[in-house]
Amino acid sequence: MITSDQALTLPCGAVLRNRLMKSAMSESLATIDNHVTPALATLYRRWADGGIGLSITGNVMIDRRALGEPRNVVLEDDRDMPLLRAWAEAGTACGTQLWMQLNHPGKQVPRRLNRESVAPSAVPFGPKMESYFATPRALEEHEIEDIIRRFGQSALLAKQAGFSGVQIHGAHGYLVSQFLSSRHNVREDAWGGSLHNRMRFAVEVFTSMRRAVGPEYPIGIKLNSADFQKGGFTEDESLTVVETLAALGVDLVEISGGTYEAPVMTRGVKAQELKQSTQQREAYFLEFAQKARARVSVPLAVTGGFRTREGIAAALASGALDLVGLARSVAIDPDFPNKLLAGGSVVSGVRPLKTGIAVVDRMGMLEIAWYARQLHRMGRGAATKPHESPKIALLGTLASQGLGTLRTRLRA
C-alpha cells in the first residue's frame, strides 16, 4: 500500500512524511553567472503542493570554477542567502523535506564551459564522448583537500538557508563517482589503487559535511550500484561503500547506476533494453537494493522505472527499499504523488522520447534536455507539455546551452 501516513524516521531523527521522493533533476534555472533565481522557489513549491515527501534539488555546485552545465546554481558563500531562504521555504511547504544535492562535476564538463576540467587522474573519455568532454588535469592533493572543505562549507550554508538536509552526488560519473572507479581513478597515492583508497574521497566528503552540520541534520548520498563499464565501479565495491557510509552515520542511500558513457540512469523509457522481469517489477535497481538491505539497515531509496501505483506498492512491500524515487513522472505531472496517495489505479504518462537521429537517441542528453524544459515551464508558473516534440526540445536546448556555454566562458 501507499498511504499518506507511512512516515519514515531517519537515523539522525528527522522524519519524512511519506515514502515518495522526488529524485534530483537538473533544472538549469540559475542566472548565467550561477546565482539562485525565484523560478526555483516557484518550481519546488509546485512539487511540495503535489504531495512529495522528500524533494531533492538538482545538483548545486560547490565551486564556481567547476560547473557541470550552464546555469548551475553555485553555493560557495552567503551572497544568495535571501533567495536561498525563499527557495527553502517554498520547497518545504506542506511538510515536505527539501534536501540540496551538492556536487562537483570533475571531468564531466562540456568543452569550453570552464577554463579546465579536473579529475582524480588525467584519463580521457572514450571515443564516443571525447568530442564533448576534454581530457582533464589530475588533481593535486591540496586541491582534493580544498574540494572536501568546500563540500562541508556548502552543506553548512544549505542548513543556514533552511534546507531540510543535503545529499552528496556520488553517482553518474561526477567527481565522487570518478574517485570510486578504477577506470577513472588510476592514482598511485593514498587516493587511488585499492577500494579503501578510492572510497577515501567519499568518506572524507561525508565527514567534512557531518562536521559542518552536526549529528541531527540529514546527510544522504546518491550512489551508483555499478558503472556498467569495463574496469569501472562494481556492485561488490558499491556494497562495501554502502556498508562503510552506513557505519559512519549516513541517513539515506539513493541507489542509481551508470554514467554519461553508459547512461542506464536515463533508459527508463527504453523498455526493449530491459529484462522482462525488470519491466514487470518496474524498479531497475531492486536486485541491488535487496543485496544492500541484507547488509545494512540504513534507509534505502531506489530511483528509476516506476510507472504505476501497483509497481511502487510492490517495491515498498518487498522491504528492500524505504523510499521510491520519482523523476520523469513528476516532471510532467507534479501532482503524481497526490494521485498515488489518493488510492486507485495510477499510471505515469512518461513515454519514449526519440528524435529519429540514432546517435542522439542513444545518448542520455535528449532525456535531460526534454525534461529540463518541463521544469522551466513549472518554474514560470506554467503547465507542462507532456507531448512536446523531442526534436523541437532538443534543438531549443542545444541553442540555449550553446549560448549559455559561450556566455559563461566569456565571464570566466
Side-chain angles (χ1 to χ4, degrees), residues 148-319:
I148 291 168
R149 178 192 62 79
R150 285 173 176 272
F151 269 101
Q153 176 178 297
S154 296
L156 178 59
L157 289 166
K159 180 182 180 181
Q160 291 172 342
F163 286 79
S164 311
V166 287
Q167 183 191 60
I168 303 164
H169 198 337
H172 300 172
Y174 293 108
L175 186 62
V176 175
S177 177
Q178 290 163 29
F179 265 96
L180 289 169
S181 173
S182 56
R183 180 187 179 97
H184 302 287
N185 180 356
V186 295
R187 299 178 72 96
E188 297 180 351
D189 60 6
W191 302 96
S194 68
L195 176 61
H196 179 271
N197 285 359
R198 284 184 280 118
M199 79 165 92
R200 181 185 172 196
F201 182 73
V203 167
E204 293 293 339
V205 164
F206 172 79
T207 302
S208 173
M209 292 167 67
R210 178 59 79 204
R211 187 164 50 242
V213 301
E216 297 180 356
Y217 189 74
I219 302 177
I221 186 168
K222 188 169 191 171
L223 189 69
N224 275 357
S225 61
D227 287 350
F228 301 96
Q229 290 181 282
K230 185 178 180 179
F233 190 53
T234 68
E235 276 200 1
D236 286 343
E237 290 177 330
S238 186
L239 289 168
T240 298
V241 174
V242 170
E243 285 183 305
T244 301
L245 292 173
L248 290 172
V250 76
D251 291 293
L252 176 67
V253 178
E254 180 186 359
I255 298 164
S256 190
T259 68
Y260 279 16
E261 291 182 280
V264 297
M265 69 284 194
T266 61
R267 68 181 183 180
V269 295
K270 302 174 183 176
Q272 70 275 13
E273 297 179 7
L274 303 178
K275 294 186 298 183
Q276 184 66 29
S277 59
T278 300
Q279 293 180 46
Q280 290 175 346
R281 68 169 180 261
E282 299 187 11
Y284 294 164
F285 305 107
L286 186 59
E287 289 180 1
F288 180 85
Q290 290 168 335
K291 295 175 184 177
R293 173 58 73 231
R295 299 197 188 191
V296 297
S297 59
V298 64
L300 301 174
V302 172
T303 300
F306 292 107
R307 303 180 304 278
T308 67
R309 188 175 192 276
E310 292 75 15
I312 291 170
L316 288 169
S318 75

Side-chain angles (χ1 to χ4, degrees), residues 365-381:
M365 300 306 293
L366 173 61
E367 297 280 328
I368 295 170
W370 192 90
Y371 283 98
R373 286 168 66 90
Q374 306 305 317
L375 307 193
H376 290 183
R377 290 189 177 91
M378 285 192 280
R380 297 193 300 268

Side-chain angles (χ1 to χ4, degrees), residues 308-337:
T308 67
R309 188 175 192 276
E310 292 75 15
I312 291 170
L316 288 169
S318 75
L321 62 144
D322 303 279
L323 287 171
V324 167
L326 305 173
R328 296 173 182 83
S329 56
V330 295
I332 60 174
D333 183 4
D335 290 315
F336 189 61

